Amino acid sequence: MISKEIVITGMGVLSPIGNDLDTYWQSLCEGRSGVSVVETFESGHAPLFGSVVPDIRAKDFVKPRKNIKNMSRDIQLGYIASLHAIENAGLTVNCESPTIDPDRLGIVFGSDLIGLELDELVDAFKTCQIDDRIEFSLWGSGALPKIFPLWMLKYLPNLVAGQLAIAIDARGPNNTVTLRRSSSLSAITEAVRTIERGQADVMICGGVGNRINPIFLARSRTHNLAPTSGDPTVQPRPYDADRRGTVLGEGSGSLIVESRATADARGARPIARIIGFAQAFEPALYQKPITGLSIRAAIRQAMRDADCTPNDLSHVNSDGMGAVWEDRVEAEAIRDELGDVPVTAPKGHFGDLGGGSGTIELIASLIGLQKGLIPPTRNHEKPDASCPINVVHGSPQPCNKTRVLTLNNSRAGRSNAMIIEKI
């Protein structure tokens, strides 16, 4: 049980289908796809489908601009999404009269392994190349002088939260969660617990992922990817009978969470409250597929934590990858635990965004609760009997209920469930 009333007061999103809340919501309702053919680092390599965040100008947000050279694409995405959330929440930071005492403002952010930007290493490796091989004995004397001295700082997952804290003077707890698709919801959970423990009054939380980096594309066979032929926008296909895999993408979502007392004291308008959550694990690793044990346990525990029944739910915001086995297992767990509750899967619009998935998807439901609508699932056209759930598709579905359960899972067997309630 959550011992304090914890509310969400701000949202920020950078996604392949929109970099502001209005555009993002409109894209969901209109069924826009963020998937396209992306270039790989290897000439002649077969094309891959992916989803890219458009029109990001880091120099418009990062001050001083020289700090950009210390920030990888992942760090920039998480940083900018969080600045949007701060503005949306009406917070003022890093000034003479900040809204919140900097000592009571913390950050916990979900992040992925950050892939290297390979062009930064080309000159270094060339100094060690002899004919068609690399002579690593030359690395110290020849290659290192070619590498930017602070190069490593660009690729540390904890510097998404770290760089943001420096910029906004957030002196409270600062932490990073790296659990792939489960990262975002785990970070939000830890933010709530941090406030419950009395260690902060306001927390910035969420997640970021960049799975279109060449480092991840080179390992594409480990990601259950959809085939790369034909129209990229018809992939992925959550719970559809013709689903064949997911696509990889990038994005970041950020939330401002705080105690209700703090929100009221500063005159903030809460969007929703977090009323329950759970995490469960099924030791599947990669030797065998998940069976859904952890998904079922997470749903049951979150429902119990929130004192909630299936009839209370507007919808389930599911993981819905578009992968054949994973979708089936998740759908069966949802049906067994929650019955015919409507289900939406935002990944149909953009695929797997790694550590950014959970918050970006949750924001879809947060906006939907405000508008009394359930966003539809793109590319779900042919129901599959092996996925016996009520998938919302085609157009938004009206609903006047006030609670949502959101799910994220990982291939390693971790499942996260969270329940939010409109205020």
Side-chain angles (χ1 to χ4, degrees):
M1 298 292 290
I2 301 175
S3 61
K4 294 182 179 180
E5 185 176 6
I6 308 296
V7 296
I8 299 168
T9 57
M11 305 180 286
V13 66
L14 295 180
S15 83
I17 59 171
N19 291 339
D20 61 81
L21 299 175
D22 290 340
T23 303
Y24 178 57
W25 175 253
Q26 187 174 4
S27 296
L28 289 168
C29 292
E30 295 179 358
R32 298 177 194 167
S33 174
V35 181
S36 61
V37 175
V38 296
E39 298 294 329
T40 68
F41 62 93
E42 183 179 348
S43 177
H45 193 282
L48 287 172
F49 294 168
S51 52
V52 180
V53 174
D55 305 325
I56 292 299
R57 291 168 52 87
K59 65 182 181 180
D60 292 340
F61 298 94
V62 179
K63 309 296 180 188
R65 290 184 180 180
K66 66 180 182 179
N67 287 349
I68 296 174
K69 64 184 179 182
N70 297 329
M71 300 169 71
S72 65
R73 175 77 169 182
D74 305 55
I75 295 174
Q76 292 176 28
L77 291 173
Y79 183 104
I80 296 170
S82 295
L83 292 184
H84 289 339
I86 290 169
E87 181 180 11
N88 184 248
L91 290 172
T92 55
V93 294
N94 197 19
C95 59
E96 290 186 3
S97 301
T99 307
I100 298 297
D101 179 356
D103 291 335
R104 304 294 296 170
L105 174 62
I107 304 170
V108 57
F109 224 72
S111 179
D112 275 333
L113 172 70
I114 298 179
L116 305 180
E117 295 172 10
L118 297 179
D119 57 349
E120 292 189 323
L121 300 177
V122 171
D123 289 343
F125 274 96
K126 282 183 177 179
T127 64
C128 300
Q129 183 176 352
I130 298 178
D131 298 325
D132 59 349
R133 64 185 178 86
I134 298 295
E135 179 54 66
F136 284 103
S137 64
L138 301 176
W139 185 262
S141 59
L144 286 181
K146 300 286 186 180
I147 298 175
F148 176 54
L150 301 179
W151 171 82
M152 184 177 291
L153 295 181
K154 295 182 65 173
Y155 304 107
L156 298 178
N158 61 303
L159 281 185
V160 180
Q163 288 279 17
L164 180 63
I166 293 169
I168 68 172
D169 192 29
R171 306 174 198 166
N174 190 289
N175 207 349
T176 299
V177 179
T178 54
L179 296 170
R180 300 190 67 172
R181 291 197 314 275
S182 292
S183 298
S184 279
L185 293 189
S186 294
I188 299 169
T189 296
E190 176 57 23
V192 172
R193 293 304 191 204
T194 301
I195 295 171
E196 276 193 300
R197 292 192 294 264
Q199 296 174 323
D201 296 322
V202 178
M203 293 291 292
I204 303 168
C205 56
V208 62
N210 174 14
R211 297 206 153 258
I212 56 169
N213 182 284
I215 297 297
F216 293 105
L217 296 180
R219 296 156 49 200
S220 60
R221 291 185 180 180
T222 69
H223 295 290
N224 290 333
L225 295 189
T228 55
S229 60
D231 181 1
T233 67
V234 302
Q235 303 293 345
R237 310 184 65 81
Y239 311 112
D240 188 87
D242 293 331
R243 68 190 185 280
R244 299 181 63 188
T246 193
V247 300
L248 301 179
E250 63 172 4
S252 180
S254 183
L255 301 178
I256 306 300
V257 301
E258 52 190 299
S259 69
R260 182 62 182 265
T262 301
D264 288 346
R266 70 180 188 87
R269 180 181 178 184
I271 300 164
R273 60 171 62 90
I274 300 169
I275 61 173
F277 45 71
Q279 302 177 57
F281 181 72
E282 172 188 353
L285 298 178
Y286 295 94
Q287 290 76 26
K288 59 181 181 179
I290 61 172
T291 66
L293 180 67
S294 61
I295 302 174
R296 297 166 193 267
I299 292 173
R300 286 196 302 270
Q301 293 170 24
M303 294 288 283
R304 184 167 56 247
D305 194 44
D307 191 21
C308 189
T309 69
N311 192 52
D312 296 326
L313 297 177
S314 161
H315 64 279
V316 174
N317 187 318
S318 72
D319 205 39
M321 290 274 291
V324 176
W325 178 257
E326 283 86 344
D327 278 15
R328 176 181 177 178
V329 168
E330 185 183 31
E332 290 174 345
I334 292 171
R335 165 62 68 170
D336 290 348
E337 298 297 331
L338 301 173
D340 198 42
V341 173
V343 176
T344 189
K347 286 188 179 72
H349 296 261
F350 40 68
D352 177 7
L353 306 184
S357 296
T359 309
I360 293 172
E361 293 161 13
L362 175 57
I363 288 172
S365 290
L366 285 167
I367 301 173
L369 284 178
Q370 292 177 306
K371 297 181 179 296
L373 294 172
I374 305 170
T377 302
R378 180 180 166 83
N379 291 329
H380 182 87
E381 299 171 348
K382 187 189 300 183
D384 185 352
S386 72
C387 297
I389 52 175
N390 176 16
V391 180
V392 178
H393 61 285
S395 60
Q397 177 177 309
C399 188
N400 58 9
K401 296 182 179 179
T402 59
R403 294 182 175 183
V404 169
L405 184 145
T406 187
L407 279 170
N408 276 130
N409 314 306
S410 75
R411 290 186 65 196
R414 178 179 293 275
S415 294
N416 287 60
M418 179 172 290
I419 300 174
I420 58 172
E421 181 178 50
K422 175 186 176 182
I423 295 177

